Amino acid sequence: KAGVTQTPRYLIKTRGQQVTLSCSPISGHRSVSWYQQTPGQGLQFLFEYFSETQRNKGNFPGRFSGRQFSNSRSEMNVSTLELGDSALYLCASSLRFRGQSPYEQYFGPGTRLTVT
Amino acid sequence: GIQVEQSPPDLILQEGANSTLRCNFSDSVNNLQWFHQNPWGQLINLFYIPSGTKQNGRLSATTVATERYSLLYISSSQTTDSGVYFCALGFKTIFGAGTRLFVKA
């Protein structure tokens, strides 16, 4: 079974621009979660989508948004990029949504975003 | 919210040595996972272990939920074990700061 895939793998953007990242979950998985990893803050949960609905959200500003399509693929958008948005963005897929057990996540390889 | 502490923060081993990584958490949880992040950034799922003991080859893990800790054992370490080990748990998947492991040949 193919793993979680993310595109693009690397991205360089300029401050003020917007960016869209894509994640395809493992076949049959309906939950997709997004995370941001930075050296200073570590790994932080952004949001989770399940069956095209955002079910949970972390403590990030409204510039960070996402959506999920009927085939469970998900996109994450960051508008008005800031230098501090430079990070590794990881998505994870799961068979169940968080709150159901067992809730086991599988991660993609990540998208490394650099904002200049 | 849940607090997650991992120890030690850094660990250097000679190839073939054994090690124990610890994850302490502040509240009861019904999910806990251990991950290995390789030097390329990929997070690899090691164990889903909210309680009990599991083994997979040279790796094993134990979670004692009532005492709020989990242990990851690495035996006969290899250079490919290098990277950062994270435990993650809770409703919003709180990650610990990780244990950075370097295995010397």
Side-chain angles (χ1 to χ4, degrees):
Chain A
K1 198 184 266 191
V4 179
T5 58
Q6 291 187 245
T7 56
R9 294 293 311 278
Y10 302 91
L11 206 48
I12 299 175
K13 288 287 189 179
T14 302
R15 195 169 42 182
Q17 289 185 314
Q18 74 164 16
V19 66
T20 299
L21 313 181
S22 180
C23 172
S24 292
I26 292 171
S27 177
H29 285 194
R30 293 163 62 194
S31 166
V32 174
S33 295
W34 288 89
Y35 296 84
Q36 181 195 66
Q37 185 176 26
T38 61
Q41 299 298 317
L43 275 151
Q44 294 184 286
F45 168 69
L46 280 155
F47 31 66
E48 179 199 21
Y49 284 85
F50 184 88
S51 293
E52 302 179 64
T53 301
Q54 187 182 90
R55 292 190 60 90
N56 294 288
K57 194 174 188 311
N59 298 324
F60 279 81
R63 299 187 296 109
F64 293 81
S65 63
R67 59 177 175 169
Q68 187 179 35
F69 302 94
S70 58
N71 61 358
S72 294
R73 189 177 70 85
S74 177
E75 288 181 347
M76 189 192 90
N77 186 75
V78 187
S79 63
T80 318
L81 284 165
E82 301 177 359
L83 296 178
D85 297 333
S86 294
L88 179 65
Y89 289 89
L90 293 158
C91 83
S93 78
S94 176
L95 195 58
R96 299 171 181 81
F97 59 83
R98 53 192 71 226
Q100 292 180 314
S101 289
Y103 181 69
E104 192 168 2
Q105 297 179 85
Y106 297 86
F107 281 80
T111 294
R112 193 166 294 279
L113 172 66
T114 301
V115 182
T116 61
Chain B
I2 297 173
Q3 304 296 316
V4 182
E5 291 183 0
Q6 291 188 243
S7 60
D10 298 281
L11 190 57
I12 300 175
L13 297 176
Q14 195 66 45
E15 198 169 28
N18 303 327
S19 63
T20 300
L21 282 57
R22 188 177 181 101
C23 172
N24 290 335
F25 44 95
S26 61
D27 204 352
S28 59
V29 292
N30 60 1
N31 60 7
L32 189 150
Q33 283 189 266
W34 282 96
F35 296 95
H36 173 216
Q37 188 167 40
N38 65 22
W40 297 271
Q42 172 82 55
L43 270 169
I44 299 161
N45 190 341
L46 296 177
F47 294 103
Y48 173 81
I49 187 163
S51 63
T53 297
K54 290 185 177 179
Q55 179 154 10
N56 184 3
R58 297 182 295 104
L59 302 181
S60 64
T62 295
T63 297
V64 183
T66 53
E67 297 187 22
R68 301 179 183 171
Y69 72 87
S70 183
L71 302 174
L72 178 69
Y73 305 95
I74 304 174
S75 64
S76 304
S77 58
Q78 301 176 356
T79 56
T80 52
D81 295 332
S82 296
V84 185
Y85 290 81
F86 292 100
C87 65
L89 63 162
F91 188 74
K92 291 197 173 181
T93 312
I94 308 300
F95 279 81
T99 291
R100 187 175 302 273
L101 173 65
F102 179 69
V103 181
K104 298 188 294 184

